[in-house]
Amino acid sequence: MGNKTDIKYLSPVDIELRQQNKYCRFKKMGIDYIDYKDPEFLMRFLNEQGKILPRRITGNSLKFQRRLAVSVKRARQIALLPYVADNLK
């Protein structure tokens, strides 16, 4: 049938090398306060529909993900960010 060289291409090559270490940007940069009045900064943490990206994607720590969610919700409340959008980015 096939030899062992054919089988190695069926599985992903070097999965460990492709994964990058996630880090909290806020801890690394020393940011203590997330400003809800800065919509350009908050847009980085929203997807195309306007939903908040989860921690597993952004790499934020739990503390800063909660603060980010509160800031996005405050910005939506005063109409700096939309609640729903078709093509936000």
Side-chain angles (χ1 to χ4, degrees):
M1 289 276 211
N3 54 15
K4 292 184 179 181
T5 58
D6 294 336
I7 296 173
K8 75 176 184 177
Y9 294 109
L10 297 176
S11 62
V13 181
D14 295 334
I15 295 173
E16 294 80 22
L17 295 177
R18 283 195 231 164
Q19 293 178 351
Q20 297 176 352
N21 291 335
K22 295 181 185 175
Y23 61 91
C24 182
R25 297 177 193 155
F26 300 107
K27 284 184 182 177
K28 187 173 183 180
M29 301 300 286
I31 298 172
D32 292 330
Y33 178 71
I34 301 172
D35 191 15
Y36 66 92
K37 295 171 285 204
D38 188 8
E40 291 84 24
F41 177 73
L42 296 175
M43 289 284 285
R44 296 181 192 172
F45 300 98
L46 301 177
N47 66 5
E48 294 83 25
Q49 290 100 18
K51 295 180 181 179
I52 301 171
L53 292 173
R55 283 181 60 209
R56 67 177 190 274
I57 295 175
T58 60
N60 294 335
S61 64
L62 180 62
K63 177 171 109 175
F64 285 105
Q65 183 70 20
R66 286 180 181 156
R67 290 182 183 181
L68 177 74
V70 169
S71 297
V72 168
K73 290 174 185 177
R74 285 180 182 168
R76 286 176 177 163
Q77 186 71 29
I78 61 172
L80 294 176
L81 291 176
Y83 281 98
V84 180
D86 287 335
N87 291 322
L88 194 60
K89 294 182 181 181

